Amino acid sequence: MIPIVTPAEMVAIDAAAPEPVEVLIQRAGVALANVATQMMGGSYGRRVVVMSGKGNNGADGRAAATYLRRRGVRVEVWDATKPPKSLPSAHLVIDAAYGTGLQRPYTPPAPPPYLKQPAKPAPILAADIASGIDGLTGEVHGSPWQATHTLTFGALKPGLLLHPGTQYCGQVTLEQLGLDTSPAKAHLLTASTAASWLPVRPLDAHKWQTACWIVAGSTEMAGAAQLATAAALRGGSGYVRLSVPGHPNPTNTAIASASTASIAHSASTNGAIEAVSYPLSASGWWEQIQHQDLSRFKAMLVGPGLGRHPTTAEAIRELVSNAPLPLVLDGDGLTALGSGVVAILNRRNAPTIVTPHDGEYRGLTGNAPDPDRFAAARQLAFISGATVLLKGPCTVVAQPDGTAIATNNGDARLATAGTGDVLAGLICGLLSAGVPPMQAAALAAWLHGQTAQALPFAPMAASNLINALPRTWQATAANHQVNQSTQHASQSTQHHTP
């Protein structure tokens, strides 16, 4: 995984480095010069404009200018505090005006024309972060440039990942500069780590080893139960018990409510027909559940599409307070807890994962998430004792101890009805397959986003994710096998080298 640190944490990491700051600046300058050369397709005869501030960020830009000049590049360095009204044409601009700690508005002059195509602005390479983007929150201060590429140093910063800052940073690459980032408590999940977390079913597996129970759906929202159940099966559950309170045959609820044969066929082929029905009364259904042999189940999911009737909310609160199983709470399950989330979840002895979007977060805490979404997720995790998956363009998963994992590989098409039900079911499936809670939540978010990316670039329905998940799983597992083979070959070569 890739470390993520706040600007303040980065200052401490820099201060702890065994090398003096001048050495780090020279390393950053070389790295910037290398990326600039790659972006321009060469160096000799190229023209670069550097916008340089007074701090270390500006020093990085000036160091890059020195190395680029040695390679035959014509470089002009401008003081960010006294910029000209217009900048000369260039093949590339290096934005080294201000770093991650800027808190005031910054509005530079218009980017210079691109020498190859004067009607277009020149590409921009940002040093560490696009100047004017808050390194902690991603908030925009002023009217900054939109970078084509950002080379960040040491570790990722939250502002590179959080909306709207991520829109100003372009392609982001990391140059560690030899710094020790092991103190980082937040990380970005990568494909290789996601692959290593995929559960593997043992040769002697049977369905009850990975069983889960889903309580979801209603007459008005039958599809939520279908989507969540199908996703749990795709996520590793070998047996899914489905209960739709008030309906005697939950697995047929969505099909029975469909108005056309095509909708019924679509619902059935999404996989929920494999679930085993268990009827629950419309109210007081925790009494029925608690008398079952819950030890046979590895996880529960409660909430998607249950509705907000007071008797339903009361049954949800009773289940959450008493269920001895790892539990995923989503949708109406979160609404039922409301401001009582802390008192209720702190009574639990088993792991809990909550999956709020911004509106649900407000319902649980009384406030919208802080612009520092890592802090927002950590705060809810700390006070509730739960693993928190805070949904957004950058999804943040946080533990009560402050550790956090981010995923940012989805796209805006996931902001459509039913995709949250798929995510909740996928988390439950991974939990039932033995993946630890934090990893289950983060891995599910990563698979969810990766599946969306793999679909044709067209409007997407949540059910599209269900059918595409196996291909994402297979591609992810294959990536892990290739990485393992490469690593083994490398180790073997090193071992036999005289």
Side-chain angles (χ1 to χ4, degrees):
M1 294 192 289
I2 302 173
I4 305 169
V5 301
T6 68
E9 290 170 339
M10 195 68 238
V11 169
I13 289 171
D14 284 338
E19 299 89 352
V21 66
E22 292 79 13
V23 172
L24 299 178
I25 288 171
Q26 293 306 309
R27 290 177 182 173
V30 170
L32 281 169
N34 289 341
V35 174
T37 301
Q38 292 168 8
M39 291 178 68
M40 294 186 294
S43 58
Y44 188 78
R46 306 304 199 272
R47 295 184 181 182
V48 171
V49 168
V50 177
M51 189 66 74
S52 173
K54 293 183 178 180
N56 287 345
N57 198 252
D60 295 339
R62 291 188 292 274
T66 298
Y67 289 109
L68 286 170
R69 288 188 180 114
R70 292 176 184 175
R71 300 177 187 182
V73 179
R74 295 177 62 183
V75 184
E76 293 189 41
V77 179
W78 293 93
D79 185 345
T81 64
K82 300 175 183 178
K85 291 183 179 180
S86 62
L87 294 168
S89 299
H91 291 96
L92 182 75
V93 180
I94 295 179
D95 172 11
Y98 299 101
T100 59
L102 184 68
Q103 298 291 318
R104 58 179 174 79
Y106 171 64
T107 301
Y114 185 30
L115 270 171
K116 289 186 176 181
Q117 298 178 6
K120 295 182 178 182
I124 297 172
L125 170 60
D128 211 21
I129 196 167
S131 298
I133 302 303
D134 192 303
L136 182 64
T137 67
E139 293 174 294
V140 178
H141 300 303
S143 301
W145 288 334
Q146 286 190 313
T148 310
H149 190 124
T150 297
L151 179 64
T152 197
F153 304 121
L156 295 175
K157 319 305 184 300
L160 295 166
L161 304 171
L162 297 176
H163 179 78
T166 186
Q167 295 178 296
Y168 286 78
C169 296
Q171 179 186 351
V172 178
T173 54
L174 173 65
E175 175 61 48
Q176 291 189 313
L177 304 181
L179 294 168
D180 178 14
T181 57
S182 59
K185 297 193 72 175
H187 292 81
L188 180 68
L189 184 57
T190 58
S192 58
T193 300
S196 70
W197 290 351
L198 291 173
V200 178
R201 191 163 298 198
L203 293 177
D204 60 348
H206 59 80
K207 63 186 179 183
W208 281 104
Q209 287 176 335
T210 54
C212 71
W213 193 335
I214 295 177
V215 184
S218 59
T219 300
E220 296 80 8
M221 292 176 283
Q226 288 276 5
L227 291 166
T229 302
L233 290 162
R234 298 296 197 200
S237 288
Y239 174 101
V240 178
R241 177 176 289 181
L242 173 62
S243 296
V244 180
H247 293 273
N249 193 355
T251 57
N252 288 336
T253 298
I255 298 175
S257 66
S259 57
T260 68
S262 62
I263 294 176
H265 176 72
S266 175
S268 66
T269 55
N270 280 339
I273 56 172
E274 290 89 352
V276 178
S277 301
Y278 187 85
L280 294 177
S281 59
S283 62
W285 33 265
W286 165 243
E287 295 294 328
Q288 296 170 262
I289 292 176
Q290 69 175 330
H291 294 301
Q292 296 296 302
D293 184 5
L294 295 179
S295 65
R296 302 192 76 184
F297 297 91
K298 302 302 185 293
M300 291 189 78
L301 166 61
V302 177
L306 281 175
R308 301 182 181 183
H309 193 279
T311 58
T312 301
E314 179 58 30
I316 292 172
R317 289 191 288 270
E318 288 179 349
L319 183 149
V320 174
S321 297
N322 297 288
L325 298 174
L327 180 64
V328 182
L329 272 173
D330 182 69
D332 293 327
L334 297 173
T335 302
L337 265 60
S339 60
V341 62
V342 173
I344 293 172
L345 293 188
N346 276 299
R347 290 199 291 266
R348 286 182 48 76
N349 294 317
T352 311
I353 299 173
V354 297
T355 60
H357 54 56
D358 284 16
E360 291 162 343
Y361 186 97
R362 183 190 293 273
L364 296 172
T365 66
N367 299 291
D370 190 86
D372 178 359
R373 296 179 71 84
F374 286 84
R378 284 166 165 152
Q379 175 64 15
L380 179 55
F382 177 75
I383 63 175
S384 68
T387 298
V388 174
L389 184 150
L390 180 58
K391 298 173 183 174
C394 176
T395 292
V396 179
V397 179
Q399 291 274 70
D401 65 1
T403 55
I405 299 173
T407 65
N408 67 342
N409 60 335
D411 63 48
R413 294 176 300 161
L414 288 171
T416 188
T419 58
D421 305 321
V422 174
L423 176 60
L426 188 53
I427 296 170
C428 187
L430 291 166
L431 264 183
S432 69
V435 181
M438 187 180 195
Q439 293 182 9
L443 177 57
W446 190 89
L447 290 169
H448 196 244
Q450 200 71 7
T451 302
Q453 278 194 358
L455 290 171
F457 191 72
M460 181 186 71
S463 57
N464 299 144
L465 294 169
I466 299 295
N467 296 324
L469 267 168
R471 292 192 295 274
T472 300
W473 190 291
Q474 182 181 28
T476 305
N479 175 275
H480 184 51
Q481 292 170 353
V482 169
N483 287 342
Q484 283 186 321
S485 298
T486 303
Q487 182 180 18
H488 177 74
S490 174
Q491 291 173 343
S492 178
T493 301
Q494 292 173 7
H495 179 73
H496 290 96
T497 299

